[in-house]
Amino acid sequence: GHYNNNLGYNSAASGSFNTTLGLYSDSVGYFNNSIGYGNFSQGDSNNLIGTNIRASGGGGNYNNIFGYDIRNSGSYNIAIGSGISIVANNRLNLGKTIAGHLESGRIYIGNITDANLFPRSTLELIPKNANDKVLIVNAHPSQSANLQDWNNRFGTTITFVDSSGIINANSGIILTPGTPSVTTNRIYNVGGALYFNGAALAGGYTSWTISDSGGNSESVTNGTNIIFSGANGVATVYNPTTNVMMVSGTNLGGGGSYNWRIADSGGAADTIANNELVVFSGVNGIGTIYNPTTNVMVLSGINPYSSWILADSGRNSKNIVNNTQVIFSGVNGVATVYNPVANTMMVSGTQNAFSTISIAGQSDVVADSITDTLTLIAGTNITLSTNASQDSITINSTAGGGGSYNWRIADSGGVPDTIISGDLVMFSGVNGIATNYDPVNNVMTLSGNYSWTLRDSGNNSKAITNNTP
């Protein structure tokens, strides 16, 4: 060859522009540099430092190889280590621990058993042993920034692991259909149905349940519009056909406005006006969030309810689907009636109600609910009787001399007559000792020499003038 520099024992340069330093080394190609023992460069522009390095074969150009017993027949490779064999191009291998493809910018880290493998991603980790952890991220003792950020091509974070290890996936998580070999404490997708811990959640828990004052309930699906109607009432009636919930009657609390109140699972409540629409929305939820601006109640999470149930005061109930509009209607009522045929829920009744019964010197009797019952108890020598058809209660005394407590009046002839409370009796005549009572005209006539005197049971008396009613 030409223009070669050889320094060592039994080294040769049959090519040109080569530099050889060492023993038993040879450069057949051009522009090669070899330092070491037993190195052989058949290609061009190779740098070999080490022992028993071979850069040969069909390619073997533009390589940088450092180490022992390395075989390279490719081009544009970098190798450091021992026992490495490379036949491909553009490869990096550092001690069989870090390897990659230089042109694509992909890299392996870990147990590199084949220097010619092509990494499947920008970074691929390969553990050597089954009990080796593939990746450990250690936080700073006072870590405040996220442990990881996963960004889109514009640098916007779309998923991250915060400083406490909580994963936040802004766009949701997709579960590939399939049943894991171990299902304990696992969430997975079986044909589109959600499973947890080996049991199907089955897409149930997808909607709302609404109830009226009678304890009747109805299931409604997501996106349902419900109209709350009526004012100043204590009773509610739901119509599952028209999705109307009506309030009416007089509240037991004794006054004030009785428009509707709606609250979410967090206990936050808001007043809504009559005939206002409320949309019940969201699926698979146990938590509810109410937006008073848009009148939307959102359901989210996983819960055991699949639809809405509305019911009337007679506990008749009806299931309704999601996105159904419900109107709450009716006036001046204390009872609710549901018609499952017409799907109407109405408030009926025009009565007023008292929540408190007071007796001077005694504790008040206060109603605990709008359906609370007041019980009357008969005391000594008292009997109570009811008439359900006439909605009446009769109080009688069983003591001696009792009977009716209306008035009795009799004239001097001993003829008595009963008069009711509020009757007028005319006492007429002057200076008499005989009396005569006219029960038709309620007139008591006196004749003789005596005027009238009335006396009560306490022996209190009062003289009254003639013709006094």
Side-chain angles (χ1 to χ4, degrees):
H2 306 280
Y3 310 107
N4 296 301
N5 296 300
N6 296 324
L7 178 62
Y9 176 76
N10 199 23
S11 295
S14 57
S16 301
F17 306 102
N18 299 299
T19 298
T20 302
L21 176 62
L23 303 176
Y24 300 102
S25 296
D26 188 10
S27 295
V28 178
Y30 297 85
F31 306 104
N32 297 297
N33 297 294
S34 176
I35 301 175
Y37 173 84
N39 297 330
F40 177 72
S41 178
Q42 184 180 9
D44 302 326
S45 300
N46 297 300
N47 296 304
L48 311 179
I49 300 177
T51 301
N52 199 24
I53 300 174
R54 296 287 184 269
S56 60
N61 303 317
Y62 310 105
N63 299 293
N64 294 285
I65 301 175
F66 309 89
Y68 170 77
D69 195 22
I70 297 177
R71 300 290 183 268
N72 180 81
S73 59
S75 300
Y76 308 101
N77 297 313
I78 299 174
I80 299 176
S82 63
I84 299 173
S85 177
I86 302 176
V87 297
N89 301 323
N90 293 297
R91 291 301 195 271
L92 168 70
N93 193 299
L94 305 179
K96 299 182 180 180
T97 300
I98 298 176
H101 186 261
L102 299 174
E103 186 176 21
S104 66
R106 297 183 178 186
I107 192 170
Y108 283 110
I109 296 178
N111 183 32
I112 312 301
T113 58
D114 186 347
N116 300 284
L117 292 176
F118 190 91
R120 293 167 293 184
S121 64
T122 301
L123 175 63
E124 187 169 347
L125 307 179
I126 305 174
K128 182 175 183 179
N129 302 306
N131 60 352
D132 288 345
K133 295 181 180 180
V134 178
L135 177 66
I136 297 176
V137 177
N138 292 319
H140 186 275
S142 301
Q143 183 78 28
S144 59
N146 294 336
L147 294 176
Q148 290 187 36
D149 280 354
W150 297 352
N151 301 338
N152 62 18
R153 60 185 296 266
F154 303 106
T156 302
T157 300
I158 53 179
T159 301
F160 64 87
V161 181
D162 68 15
S163 59
S164 61
I166 297 175
I167 299 175
N168 187 314
N170 296 335
S171 300
I173 298 175
I174 297 176
L175 297 177
T176 302
T179 302
S181 58
V182 178
T183 61
T184 303
N185 294 327
R186 284 168 170 78
I187 296 176
Y188 50 98
N189 178 359
V190 179
L194 191 63
Y195 277 64
F196 174 70
N197 206 23
L201 300 179
Y205 322 151
T206 59
S207 54
W208 305 85
T209 300
I210 193 166
S211 299
D212 61 19
S213 59
N216 305 290
S217 59
E218 174 79 8
S219 294
V220 294
T221 56
N222 278 322
T224 299
N225 286 330
I226 299 180
I227 297 179
F228 293 80
S229 181
N232 300 325
V234 294
T236 55
V237 180
Y238 171 67
N239 182 335
T241 299
T242 58
N243 272 354
V244 174
M245 180 72 86
M246 175 168 287
V247 66
S248 63
T250 302
N251 183 285
L252 292 176
S257 174
Y258 299 99
N259 287 335
W260 301 90
R261 295 279 287 170
I262 193 166
D264 58 23
S265 59
D270 189 70
T271 299
I272 59 174
N274 268 329
N275 299 312
E276 192 167 353
L277 282 176
V278 176
V279 178
F280 291 77
S281 184
V283 295
N284 300 323
I286 54 175
T288 55
I289 300 176
Y290 176 67
N291 185 332
T293 302
T294 59
N295 271 2
V296 173
M297 180 77 85
V298 178
L299 177 72
S300 63
I302 300 174
N303 80 0
Y305 304 104
S306 60
S307 61
W308 300 94
I309 298 176
L310 293 185
D312 62 17
S313 57
R315 299 191 180 277
N316 303 297
S317 62
K318 173 78 174 178
N319 289 334
I320 60 174
V321 297
N322 256 337
N323 301 312
T324 303
Q325 176 175 287
V326 179
I327 300 175
F328 293 74
S329 185
V331 295
N332 297 327
V334 293
T336 57
V337 179
Y338 170 67
N339 184 338
V341 177
N343 263 353
T344 58
M345 181 75 83
M346 295 294 298
V347 173
S348 61
T350 57
Q351 72 188 65
N352 293 328
F354 294 97
S355 64
T356 303
I357 307 298
S358 294
I359 298 176
Q362 300 292 318
S363 299
D364 290 346
V365 178
V366 180
D368 298 316
S369 70
I370 63 173
T371 59
D372 203 3
T373 301
L374 176 65
T375 302
L376 301 180
I377 300 175
T380 304
N381 297 324
I382 297 295
T383 62
L384 303 176
S385 59
T386 62
N387 187 317
S389 63
Q390 297 183 6
D391 295 331
S392 64
I393 298 174
T394 301
I395 304 174
N396 288 313
S397 172
T398 59
S404 174
Y405 291 95
N406 287 334
W407 300 92
R408 298 281 286 171
I409 193 167
D411 58 19
S412 58
V415 179
D417 193 71
T418 300
I419 60 174
I420 62 175
S421 180
D423 274 1
L424 285 176
V425 177
M426 180 69 74
F427 291 81
S428 183
V430 295
N431 300 324
I433 57 173
T435 58
N436 184 55
Y437 176 66
D438 179 357
V440 176
N441 299 308
N442 270 1
V443 174
M444 179 73 81
T445 304
L446 176 69
S447 64
N449 298 319
Y450 298 95
S451 60
W452 297 98
T453 299
L454 292 186
R455 192 182 307 276
D456 64 13
S457 59
N459 206 32
N460 301 296
S461 62
K462 175 74 174 178
I464 60 173
T465 61
N466 204 22
N467 296 317
T468 299

